[in-house]
Amino acid sequence: MDRSHSELPDDTADAVAAWLGRLRAGDDAAYEWLVRTYGGRMLAVARRLLPDENDAADAVQDAFISAFRSIGAFAGQSQVGTWLHRIVVNACLMKLRGAKNRRPASLDELLPTFDETGHHARGVRPWAAGPVEQLAQAELQAQVRTCIDQLPEGYREILLLRDIEELDTAQAADLLGISPGAVKTRLHRARLALRALLEPLFARPG
């Protein structure tokens, strides 16, 4: 039996169980429920990973289509929101990899170098006080995201998954198909490189 928009349920356990059954049966109204119940949360995820609003919306649309097609494989061992989150993150990574981004910065040029005494060859200037407050400003947030987008693909993805989306090491490794050790190594190098790119914004003069 079809239901009106006003009758679509929330995401309580009983409602989810009932509508998952309808999804598996190919019910279009159940697909609408999935989008209406989780769409806002998944769009927020996509916006954190993709700087372009249209790309974020496209990624969410692609993710929901993928979820609808693969609903039969969802065993219910995790929450629907967790399952969808993974699909959306994957869709965003596909967008990032397919985008015609600017030429990435050379990671080797950004990482710190050391002299024969073991000290930083280029020196490390302390950042000005209050970087957290500065990052709260929309303009600086955009500049930080621009710097992240300059990183080579593999390092950019690690930084987005671990520091922006706050996935743990095992989750990031699983999504990217690499070992947890590789995640830790890339993340460390990505953070060093990002700091070098951000230095002109936050370093104290002199």
Side-chain angles (χ1 to χ4, degrees):
M1 180 178 68
D2 292 337
R3 302 191 181 195
S4 67
H5 290 229
S6 61
E7 293 174 312
L8 291 173
D10 56 20
D11 57 351
T12 61
D14 289 343
V16 169
W19 284 85
L20 280 176
R22 295 182 64 172
L23 272 170
R24 292 188 178 100
D27 188 332
D28 288 342
Y31 176 73
E32 182 184 349
W33 162 80
L34 191 72
V35 174
R36 286 171 61 86
T37 303
Y38 296 97
R41 276 174 274 179
M42 296 305 110
L43 183 58
V45 171
R47 284 170 172 163
R48 289 194 293 269
L49 296 174
L50 296 169
D52 184 85
E53 180 71 21
N54 291 329
D55 284 346
D58 287 346
V60 172
Q61 182 178 13
D62 292 345
F64 275 112
I65 291 173
S66 177
F68 192 48
R69 290 173 176 169
S70 62
I71 188 63
F74 177 60
Q77 295 176 342
S78 62
Q79 294 183 349
V80 176
T82 302
W83 174 66
L84 284 173
H85 179 273
R86 181 187 178 92
I87 297 175
V88 170
V89 169
N90 270 322
C92 290
L93 290 177
M94 292 295 292
K95 282 281 185 186
L96 285 169
R97 292 166 184 167
K100 295 180 179 179
N101 294 320
R102 70 188 68 183
R103 182 180 179 86
S106 169
L107 199 75
D108 289 337
E109 293 178 2
L110 295 172
L111 294 178
T113 57
F114 303 90
D115 60 25
E116 62 277 4
T117 67
H119 294 88
H120 284 275
R122 292 194 295 260
V124 178
R125 290 185 296 167
W127 283 11
V132 174
E133 290 77 12
Q134 294 182 49
L135 284 172
Q137 302 175 34
E139 182 179 353
L140 283 174
Q141 286 181 335
Q143 290 176 312
V144 170
R145 182 51 200 256
T146 297
C147 290
I148 291 175
D149 288 340
Q150 291 179 43
L151 297 174
E153 180 180 289
Y155 296 92
R156 181 176 68 244
E157 291 176 351
I158 287 290
L159 203 66
L160 289 172
L161 293 179
R162 290 288 282 110
D163 289 350
I164 303 300
E165 201 51 28
E166 299 184 340
L167 300 185
D168 62 31
T169 298
Q171 290 171 326
D174 187 40
L175 275 169
L176 297 174
I178 60 178
S179 70
V183 169
K184 293 176 182 179
T185 300
R186 288 190 194 178
L187 180 61
H188 178 66
R189 290 166 64 86
R191 285 171 174 168
L192 289 174
L194 181 61
R195 192 188 195 286
L197 289 170
L198 291 173
E199 187 170 336
L201 296 175
F202 297 118
R204 291 174 183 164

